[in-house]
Amino acid sequence: MVKIRLMRVGKRKQPSYRVVVADSRSPRDGRIIEAIGHYQPRQDPSVVEIDNERALYWLRTGAQASDSVRQLLRISGAWSEFSGEAPLTGGPPPAKIKKATPAASVTETEEVAEAEAPAAEAETPAPEAEAKPEAVAEAPAEVPAAEEEAGEEPTS
């Protein structure tokens, strides 16, 4: 199986990565088929340069992208062309959003909590709706008992 993954290069504690196409059985920094780009996370902002044409070629021939490479392909725009997803709009990549200042991360956490709260509320009525049919099922059982009592009075 062919994979698109990162190959670490650079000095100790100063990583830089190449985006490579390699056999999944070869070691991380071992033999590669083709280098299609590079990623430098230590620069601010981080540098992502990928040959989108070659990336699309390999994706279309069945190469599987690792999770980290998939994010880099979304940033470069190749993944949106391949999968049909909407491309990422301007702004920092998702990894940069998480590295925001503490005050910003608190507001982001609150926004996420608020976004999740309506989803939780939307799920809550569903169990209540299931409980209502049970109550409705009990109500018709009581109605015939009332009819029996009503039916007994005229005969007496």
Side-chain angles (χ1 to χ4, degrees):
M1 172 187 276
V2 177
K3 290 208 172 230
I4 303 174
R5 61 185 185 196
L6 296 176
M7 174 178 171
R8 185 182 165 127
V9 293
K11 295 188 286 184
R12 183 173 22 143
K13 302 215 179 191
Q14 295 182 8
S16 176
Y17 300 92
R18 288 186 192 153
V19 180
V20 299
V21 178
D23 188 331
S24 62
R25 296 171 291 184
S26 64
R28 179 191 71 182
D29 298 336
R31 200 173 94 207
I32 65 169
I33 298 171
E34 181 181 1
I36 60 173
H38 66 273
Y39 169 52
Q40 298 173 349
R42 301 223 355 128
Q43 292 188 2
D44 191 26
S46 53
V47 176
V48 176
E49 291 183 19
I50 297 176
D51 184 359
N52 287 346
E53 292 178 16
R54 294 306 294 167
L56 284 172
Y57 167 78
W58 284 108
L59 288 169
R60 289 179 179 149
T61 56
Q64 298 292 314
S66 67
D67 293 337
S68 53
V69 170
R70 192 174 301 124
Q71 289 296 325
L72 296 176
L73 291 174
R74 283 190 179 116
I75 292 168
S76 72
W79 189 258
S80 61
E81 288 182 43
F82 172 68
S83 65
E85 294 177 2
L88 285 178
T89 57
K96 290 291 182 180
I97 292 172
K98 292 179 183 176
K99 294 181 181 178
T101 61
S105 63
V106 170
T107 57
E108 289 174 11
T109 306
E110 291 172 358
E111 292 172 4
V112 170
E114 292 173 0
E116 290 176 358
E121 291 174 6
E123 293 175 8
T124 305
E128 292 175 7
E130 292 175 9
K132 288 179 184 178
E134 293 173 13
V136 172
E138 293 175 11
E142 296 173 1
V143 172
E147 291 174 357
E148 290 176 9
E149 293 174 2
E152 291 176 12
E153 291 177 1
T155 55
S156 308

